[in-house]
Amino acid sequence: MEYDDGFLSERYHSPQATGIVPSWLPTVLLMIFIIVLSTRAWTGFRASLRKDERLAPKAPHWVPGFGHALEFALFNGSFLRNLRHYHPQGAFEIQLFGRKHVIAYSTPIIEGVVLRDDDAVRSNYLSSLIRRNIFKMSPKLAAKKSEDAGESFESVMQALQRSDEIANVMSKAFERTLPDLVSFMPTLIDQHPWERLTTVTPFEGSPPTVETSLYPLIQSYLTHITATALLGAEFLENNPSLPADLHTMAAALPLLLTGLPRWIPLPRLTTAHIARHRLLTSLDTFHVALANHLSETPQAPNSGYRDLSDTSSYITTLTTTLLKEDSASVQDLASTTLQILLVLTTRLSLLSFWLLMHILSSASSASTPLSPTSTPSLLKTILTETPPHARASQPKTSFAIAPPPRLALDLPALSDNCPTLKSGLIECVRLYSRSWEAREVLHPFAVLTGDPEAKTMVLRKGEVVAVSHWLAHTDPGVWGEGKEGAAVWRCERHVKSKALPSKTSGKDKSTSEKSSSPKQKAEWTTVMFGGDEDDDPGLLALVEQTSAAFVAGFLALWEVAPAKGGKWRVPRAREGGFGVVALPVGEVGVTVRRRELGGD
């Protein structure tokens, strides 16, 4: 019997039959390649035609319609750093979904844009986008500004940031719970709530020791303290996954900002959508119960919240103001609360982690890539300057089991009288903060550039000027290069000496000279958090005070060493130029035990 070779070839060897490669796929791939290559060549040619040196240099892109959006979302850090290298003029222009964005990182340009208070710029461009896309606030409330119908919203946000009440509540919580940060218990039911979300492995022997991962422990603990100070104890009892969900969202902020839907197959996007939905649902339930609690005729609670009397006055004020004056929905209240929670907990947790890592790694004989100038004396210096303001002691007892240590914190003194600790915190903000500010240009104007060859830069109507404080803080042209340059963490970088006036007469010369000796102070100078109009000096002070208090209290109470006898190594920061604070790459395994303390 003869077989038809053509039939067999068509049946068993055609792409349609085998399903390996469809016949149309090579054509589609070739068309995509041609379109991408043509777009890059065309945009590069147009960028080369820009001869006006007063305009920001334009970066060519590959994908039509999207512009630089994919690179900005997926490879944010390396993408922006490379463009800064190729365009040292202090700013450069990129395209995001067809709109021109001027990325500014030069201090004169930043000051010329951010400090402008006339009608040439619209200041709430980025904050409105963040509220809508990341926190799912309604466009009506998200777009409100302080000069129009949103006065009540902005005033509540600013009052929240400027007050000392939350800092005082958190300080008392540190004094009460930080001595018991680790329970040394092997079973989950006996552990503290913040331990249950991490892996804490106790070791047998004396003194009691546990092995854990440092950042998850810090993040879980500080999220519990912050959320309890804001929302009360019952919220965390009803939502124990809060720390994990906030961490999942923080890791995907650039993707959430783009507004991409959940089904797009991008890393971390789907899990971030799920975590945000869970957070907003839990906050919806909380605000319904809180509104009922604050009403003149409250009904019997049926949502799992029995007593909301420990809710902070700021959240109650926020609820009352937005519901009555701005006619906001419960969903808007949940979105606003989520924004406050994520910003505070993420900044506090990550800055505390990075500061602890650099201080602890200074005790290792091996230098680290990010802190080669650190010396073993740094930890000793911190432990010498903080005890007057972070006092840890062990109460005396006649019983076999000793009570937990006692901790007393003085938040203002830790900020004012501990220059090494504060300078280290400022240096962490400089190196790891990832916040942005943005202004939409409504009328063209010129700003100084600081470049002697191009004295001014013209910003045109319709452009969005996005200020990257991270790019400014790590600019080698400002902070230098080499072992003490922009990419290196130097604790003493922000310490200044100020001479104090003499308070004695000229009769006692030695006493006079001693009293007029320089006093060291740590100053913020040009380092700032950034973060558009929702940021405020009060928020800066809150994070600064609580982070310094936690680090000082932690070091006073606990001894930490690398797990499995390893050496300290500061982890690499996750690439990404947008977000709150840079996340660490990988885990930092440590062993933790109590520090030996003196009696009262």
Side-chain angles (χ1 to χ4, degrees):
M1 180 181 296
E2 296 183 359
Y3 293 95
D4 186 348
D5 292 340
F7 170 78
L8 290 175
S9 175
E10 179 180 355
R11 180 173 181 83
Y12 294 107
H13 300 288
S14 67
Q16 293 91 339
T18 61
I20 298 175
V21 179
S23 60
W24 49 264
L25 184 59
T27 304
V28 172
L29 293 177
L30 179 61
M31 291 178 60
I32 293 175
F33 177 76
I34 293 174
I35 291 174
V36 168
L37 196 63
S38 301
T39 302
R40 176 60 177 83
W42 174 245
T43 56
F45 173 71
R46 292 188 60 186
S48 66
L49 294 178
R50 177 171 288 184
K51 302 300 183 182
D52 192 346
E53 296 182 353
R54 298 178 303 166
L55 299 178
K58 189 175 183 179
H61 60 268
W62 296 85
V63 184
F66 287 85
H68 299 93
L70 294 179
E71 297 137 297
F72 185 84
L74 298 177
F75 313 104
N76 193 291
S78 57
F79 167 66
L80 294 175
R81 190 169 52 248
N82 290 336
L83 287 179
R84 181 185 63 187
H85 174 74
Y86 288 116
H87 303 292
Q89 296 91 331
F92 49 84
E93 179 186 311
I94 64 174
Q95 293 273 345
L96 297 177
F97 297 108
R99 181 145 196 195
K100 299 176 182 178
H101 288 69
V102 176
I103 309 298
Y105 63 89
S106 168
T107 300
I109 297 177
I110 292 175
E111 292 177 348
V113 174
V114 173
L115 300 180
R116 198 175 187 93
D117 58 357
D118 55 18
D119 59 355
V121 296
R122 181 166 70 94
S123 62
N124 73 334
Y125 172 80
L126 181 59
S127 61
S128 177
L129 189 65
I130 288 173
R131 291 169 186 168
R132 294 196 314 269
N133 288 1
I134 296 181
F135 300 103
K136 307 304 292 182
M137 188 180 293
S138 65
K140 177 182 177 181
L141 187 63
K144 289 184 176 182
K145 300 187 299 181
S146 58
E147 61 262 29
D148 51 44
E151 291 183 357
S152 56
F153 174 79
E154 297 298 342
S155 64
V156 168
M157 290 292 292
Q158 293 172 6
L160 168 66
Q161 295 162 1
R162 288 193 175 96
S163 175
D164 292 332
E165 179 182 333
I166 294 179
N168 293 331
V169 172
M170 293 179 66
S171 175
K172 297 299 181 184
F174 288 154
E175 294 176 346
R176 186 175 62 257
T177 61
L178 198 51
D180 282 324
L181 175 67
V182 177
S183 63
F184 302 102
M185 294 297 178
T187 56
L188 289 177
I189 194 172
D190 294 321
Q191 292 179 351
H192 300 302
W194 52 82
E195 290 182 276
R196 296 169 190 165
L197 296 177
T198 63
T199 302
V200 179
T201 306
F203 293 154
E204 295 183 359
S206 180
T209 305
V210 299
E211 182 176 324
T212 185
S213 181
L214 186 59
Y215 176 66
L217 178 64
I218 292 175
Q219 191 264 349
S220 181
Y221 171 76
L222 290 176
T223 299
H224 273 79
I225 297 299
T226 306
T228 302
L230 285 172
L231 306 176
E234 284 196 357
F235 182 80
L236 271 164
E237 293 176 3
N238 292 332
N239 304 281
S241 65
L242 176 69
D245 289 337
L246 289 175
H247 174 74
T248 301
M249 271 195 69
L253 289 181
L255 294 174
L256 292 175
L257 182 65
T258 63
L260 293 173
R262 171 180 170 178
W263 48 265
I264 297 293
L266 291 175
R268 299 188 298 270
L269 179 62
T270 300
T271 55
H273 272 273
I274 296 172
R276 179 177 63 185
H277 176 74
R278 188 159 48 234
L279 288 167
L280 289 175
T281 301
S282 62
L283 288 168
D284 282 350
T285 304
F286 168 80
H287 277 289
V288 169
L290 183 60
N292 175 63
H293 173 76
L294 297 175
S295 66
E296 297 179 356
T297 57
Q299 305 296 321
N302 58 359
S303 58
Y305 290 96
R306 301 173 300 277
D307 182 12
L308 295 175
S309 59
D310 58 347
T311 305
S312 70
S313 61
Y314 302 104
I315 298 300
T316 58
T317 302
L318 180 73
T319 302
T320 304
T321 303
L322 294 186
L323 286 178
K324 293 184 177 180
E325 299 184 20
D326 278 351
S327 301
S329 64
V330 172
Q331 289 74 21
D332 289 328
L333 285 170
S335 300
T336 305
T337 306
L338 177 57
Q339 181 179 6
I340 296 170
L341 269 178
L342 187 137
V343 171
L344 282 180
T345 58
T346 304
R347 281 187 174 161
L348 178 57
S349 302
L350 284 168
L351 289 176
S352 299
F353 167 78
W354 288 118
L355 182 55
L356 273 174
M357 281 306 308
H358 283 286
I359 294 174
L360 293 171
S361 66
S362 71
S364 176
S365 59
S367 62
T368 62
L370 282 176
S371 55
T373 60
S374 293
T375 63
S377 64
L378 177 57
L379 177 60
K380 183 178 179 181
T381 301
I382 298 291
L383 292 176
T384 300
E385 73 175 16
T386 57
H389 321 295
R391 298 182 300 277
S393 60
Q394 179 64 56
K396 295 180 180 180
T397 181
S398 57
F399 297 98
I401 300 178
R406 292 175 182 172
L407 179 66
L409 297 171
D410 187 342
L411 266 64
L414 282 169
S415 179
D416 296 337
N417 301 328
C418 300
T420 307
L421 180 66
K422 183 175 179 179
S423 180
L425 178 62
I426 298 173
E427 185 72 345
C428 287
V429 173
R430 183 191 71 82
L431 202 57
Y432 299 110
S433 179
R434 296 294 187 267
S435 295
W436 287 70
E437 297 184 58
R439 302 291 186 270
E440 183 181 13
V441 180
L442 304 179
H443 304 288
F445 62 94
V447 293
L448 297 174
T449 63
D451 186 349
E453 297 182 0
K455 296 183 179 180
T456 61
M457 180 174 291
V458 176
L459 301 173
R460 297 170 294 178
K461 179 180 179 180
E463 293 179 334
V464 174
V465 183
V467 175
S468 173
H469 293 286
W470 169 68
L471 284 181
H473 292 160
T474 56
D475 184 7
V478 176
W479 300 94
E481 299 182 6
K483 293 184 178 180
E484 296 186 358
V488 178
W489 189 90
R490 286 180 53 218
C491 187
E492 70 279 5
R493 191 189 295 271
H494 310 280
V495 177
K496 311 294 181 183
S497 295
K498 292 186 176 181
L500 298 178
S502 174
K503 297 183 180 180
T504 62
S505 63
K507 296 180 180 180
D508 190 348
K509 185 176 179 180
S510 61
T511 305
S512 176
E513 289 177 352
K514 184 177 180 180
S515 63
S516 62
S517 60
K519 181 179 181 181
Q520 290 185 329
K521 286 285 186 181
E523 299 178 349
W524 285 91
T525 58
T526 59
V527 177
M528 60 188 73
F529 272 118
D532 214 17
E533 67 200 23
D534 286 344
D535 265 1
D536 179 270
L539 179 59
L540 178 71
L542 175 61
V543 175
E544 175 190 331
Q545 290 185 0
T546 52
S547 180
F550 169 76
V551 171
F554 181 91
L555 293 175
L557 290 164
W558 300 97
E559 289 185 357
V560 186
K564 298 177 174 61
K567 292 184 178 181
W568 283 116
R569 182 175 296 276
V570 178
R572 182 171 57 89
R574 180 179 295 176
E575 285 287 358
F578 178 85
V580 182
V581 179
L583 290 162
V585 175
E587 299 285 339
V588 179
V590 295
T591 57
V592 182
R593 66 180 184 181
R594 294 192 191 277
R595 189 178 296 277
E596 294 184 5
L597 302 172
D600 288 335

